[in-house]
Amino acid sequence: MNERNLFMKINPISILSTILLVGLFSCAAYNYSVSNRNVAYIYQSGKSTLNPEFLVYHISDTSSSLFFKINANELTFIAAKETAEEISKIKIHYQIISSLDSYELIDSASTILLINKANISEIFISYIPLTIPDKSKYNIEIVTTDLLRNEKKHSFLTIDKLNKFSRQNFLLKLNNEVYFKNHLIEGEKFSINCTRNHFENIYISYFSKTFPHPYPPFSIINPKSFSFVADSVWTIPNQDYFSFELKYNGMYHFRIDSTKKDGITLFNYDEYFPEFKTANKMIDPLIFITSKKEMKQLLEFGNPKLAIDSFWLKKSGNINRAKQLISVYYSRAKYSNIYFSSYQEGWKTDRGMIYSIFGEPSTIYKSNKNERWIYGNSNSDYSLDFTFNKVQNTFSENDYVLIRNDIYKNSWYKAIETWRDGRIYSIGK
């Protein structure tokens, strides 16, 4: 499938007439590496109303696309003087670099979009062609700017041109539109396009395994390694239109070569993921701030909603404070799901645990190998420093493990006791 045909399947012609694309390519030096910058903004929830989504798809060995999705209700529109039509002006700038630790710039460009509100639906999806050298891995930093209010959003992606069977060689579509997430719910049927159309079968492995919550940051117990043994495996012949549905909670891994482990992995966590909309689901994240006895009582309580309400009311002492605690605690758990989900829900990961209990870090240094989170600064009474190492994982590019240390024990218990005393815990920035 060529790039032009792919574009036509995504955007109706009525939308094309409302967009002005201007490529401004630059060979300017990338004067400092990403790993030396504070990128704490990437995990700051609610700081920006602009939340675009991006993915890279390799159409062929020589052609790739950076797809993007923007919600119309997040944009600023003003009436054009000539036509009185409401127009939004968005700039998307990207820089492809050899790694987050490098100063080497591979390519950069800016694209300006003029979007007519009358001619778009709630969601606007399009793409930017990319020229990327083959047989290597790169990083891309993307800055999306609403030019009418000068609001920016930074995004980072890894580009894999080394592995011809990786996630970026598959394009997921839901309701005939490009789908950017890796999780769906029961009843949603999707189709998968693949760069390599000449293959005989699609091999599907289903895993129903659930994973435990992480150990505390001071734990001397190393997380147990686990073997991904599929609960069921089946094969579907290749066809022009491949449609599928994730009927059960768990993980689904799709491959086009039975001798390779790599492919695209999709998840059905639960109906309301990433949010916590049922009392049963709200009990689970309390594992971090409850005793074993308390958690057992919560799980065995006949009415889960009453159990949750009673727990928070007992800790806070009054309804208003209980509502505030609930709002902050589950907001952190929700954004943990958005930012950190891998082969398990984000709140169950090491980064999700730290984010839920301590909140947003004031400083983050991100490299190809790890993320370093720092809480507090020179004006704080004390600061905390966590390092999460990136793990090579067939099923997720978002798997990080905390380097645990006994020095975290006092800080952890102080944070837990603060929550249990009915107060929101955060370290001054």
Side-chain angles (χ1 to χ4, degrees):
M1 179 184 293
N2 63 45
E3 197 165 295
R4 174 63 177 171
N5 289 337
L6 183 62
F7 183 89
M8 293 301 291
K9 288 179 176 293
I10 296 169
N11 288 294
I13 294 175
S14 60
I15 293 180
L16 286 176
S17 63
T18 70
I19 304 169
L20 173 64
L21 299 179
V22 183
L24 304 175
F25 291 86
S26 170
C27 295
Y30 195 73
N31 52 17
Y32 59 109
S33 67
V34 171
S35 61
N36 290 329
R37 293 156 44 195
N38 178 6
V39 295
Y41 46 74
I42 62 176
Y43 301 141
Q44 289 179 344
S45 61
K47 296 296 188 297
S48 173
T49 57
L50 189 63
N51 295 287
E53 296 181 59
F54 296 92
L55 65 83
V56 172
Y57 176 58
H58 304 309
I59 298 173
S60 67
D61 289 341
T62 58
S63 178
S64 301
S65 292
L66 175 65
F67 284 93
F68 59 88
K69 181 178 81 169
I70 300 175
N71 292 322
N73 61 6
E74 295 178 353
L75 301 179
T76 304
F77 291 89
I78 62 171
K81 293 181 180 179
E82 298 82 4
T83 63
E85 294 178 325
E86 291 187 273
I87 302 295
S88 181
K89 190 175 183 180
I90 301 298
K91 177 182 176 181
I92 298 178
H93 176 76
Y94 72 80
Q95 295 187 123
I96 300 175
I97 52 180
S98 56
S99 81
L100 297 177
D101 311 300
S102 171
Y103 297 86
E104 182 184 0
L105 175 65
I106 305 301
D107 187 24
S108 68
S110 292
T111 298
I112 296 177
L113 299 89
L114 300 181
I115 304 175
N116 188 326
K117 187 176 183 179
N119 293 338
I120 64 171
S121 60
E122 294 181 2
I123 303 297
F124 174 69
I125 298 175
S126 188
Y127 79 103
I128 300 170
L130 297 178
T131 302
I132 310 170
D134 205 7
K135 298 181 181 178
S136 191
K137 281 191 174 184
Y138 307 91
N139 291 95
I140 182 169
E141 179 181 6
I142 311 159
V143 182
T144 308
T145 307
D146 185 330
L147 294 173
L148 297 182
R149 66 172 183 261
N150 195 31
E151 182 175 330
K152 296 182 179 182
K153 182 74 173 184
H154 290 250
S155 307
F156 291 92
L157 295 175
T158 299
I159 299 177
D160 187 352
K161 291 282 285 186
L162 185 65
N163 185 347
K164 297 183 182 299
F165 299 94
S166 70
R167 166 69 173 88
Q168 292 176 352
N169 294 281
F170 297 85
L171 189 67
L172 191 66
K173 288 189 176 182
L174 183 67
N175 300 323
N176 206 35
E177 289 190 341
V178 173
Y179 189 69
F180 290 75
K181 303 184 187 304
N182 65 352
H183 59 85
L184 298 98
I185 63 174
E186 180 181 348
E188 289 184 323
K189 290 187 177 181
F190 60 90
S191 61
I192 298 178
N193 288 358
C194 183
T195 302
R196 284 148 187 80
N197 292 319
H198 303 295
F199 57 92
E200 293 183 2
N201 299 306
I202 298 173
Y203 304 92
I204 307 171
S205 301
Y206 168 69
F207 306 81
S208 64
K209 184 177 179 65
T210 57
F211 300 93
H213 62 85
Y215 293 110
F218 58 85
S219 175
I220 60 173
I221 302 174
N222 292 321
K224 293 182 180 179
S225 59
F226 49 84
S227 176
F228 280 101
V229 179
D231 294 279
S232 56
V233 180
W234 64 101
T235 303
I236 296 178
N238 183 25
Q239 48 197 325
D240 292 337
Y241 180 78
F242 167 66
S243 179
F244 195 75
E245 177 185 353
L246 308 185
K247 292 185 177 181
Y248 307 103
N249 288 0
M251 180 170 67
Y252 297 75
H253 189 54
F254 299 80
R255 296 172 295 152
I256 60 173
D257 187 334
S258 61
T259 67
K260 306 289 185 182
K261 292 183 178 180
D262 302 287
I264 178 173
T265 308
L266 303 175
F267 304 87
N268 179 356
Y269 296 115
D270 67 72
E271 182 180 1
Y272 298 110
F273 183 89
E275 300 192 49
F276 297 83
K277 289 190 175 181
T278 66
N280 282 326
K281 286 294 179 182
M282 292 176 72
I283 290 175
D284 293 340
L286 295 179
I287 191 72
F288 299 134
I289 60 173
T290 54
S291 65
K292 289 183 179 180
K293 180 179 179 181
E294 286 174 323
M295 179 55 70
K296 185 174 184 293
Q297 291 173 340
L298 286 168
L299 292 172
E300 293 178 350
F301 205 91
N303 186 325
K305 185 180 185 309
L306 185 58
I308 287 290
D309 291 343
S310 299
F311 172 84
W312 286 108
L313 189 59
K314 181 179 179 180
K315 299 301 180 189
S316 63
N318 65 71
I319 293 176
N320 289 333
R321 182 179 291 179
K323 288 181 178 179
Q324 186 181 23
L325 287 167
I326 289 171
S327 175
V328 173
Y329 193 81
Y330 292 104
S331 176
R332 290 184 183 181
K334 168 190 164 183
Y335 281 102
S336 293
N337 282 344
I338 292 173
Y339 297 140
F340 312 125
S341 289
S342 54
Y343 58 87
Q344 59 184 332
E345 301 99 310
W347 75 265
K348 284 186 177 182
T349 66
D350 285 347
R351 289 183 298 172
M353 171 182 64
I354 299 300
Y355 191 90
S356 295
I357 296 303
F358 293 97
E360 299 171 356
S362 52
T363 302
I364 294 177
Y365 294 111
K366 184 177 179 66
S367 72
N368 277 49
K369 294 182 179 180
N370 59 46
E371 289 185 1
R372 181 184 169 203
W373 293 14
I374 301 172
Y375 287 87
N377 51 43
S378 57
N379 296 321
S380 303
D381 293 335
Y382 70 98
S383 62
L384 276 175
D385 194 325
F386 297 98
T387 298
F388 305 87
N389 285 340
K390 185 175 175 62
V391 177
Q392 295 302 314
N393 189 315
T394 300
F395 305 99
S396 173
E397 279 284 332
N398 201 32
D399 188 10
Y400 287 77
V401 174
L402 173 66
I403 299 178
R404 286 170 166 77
N405 195 304
D406 189 63
I407 64 173
Y408 298 130
K409 181 177 288 186
N410 290 338
S411 298
W412 176 259
Y413 283 132
K414 177 182 178 181
I416 298 306
E417 287 306 310
T418 300
W419 281 106
R420 291 179 59 82
D421 286 343
R423 293 177 288 129
I424 297 166
Y425 189 80
S426 61
I427 300 176
K429 297 184 179 180

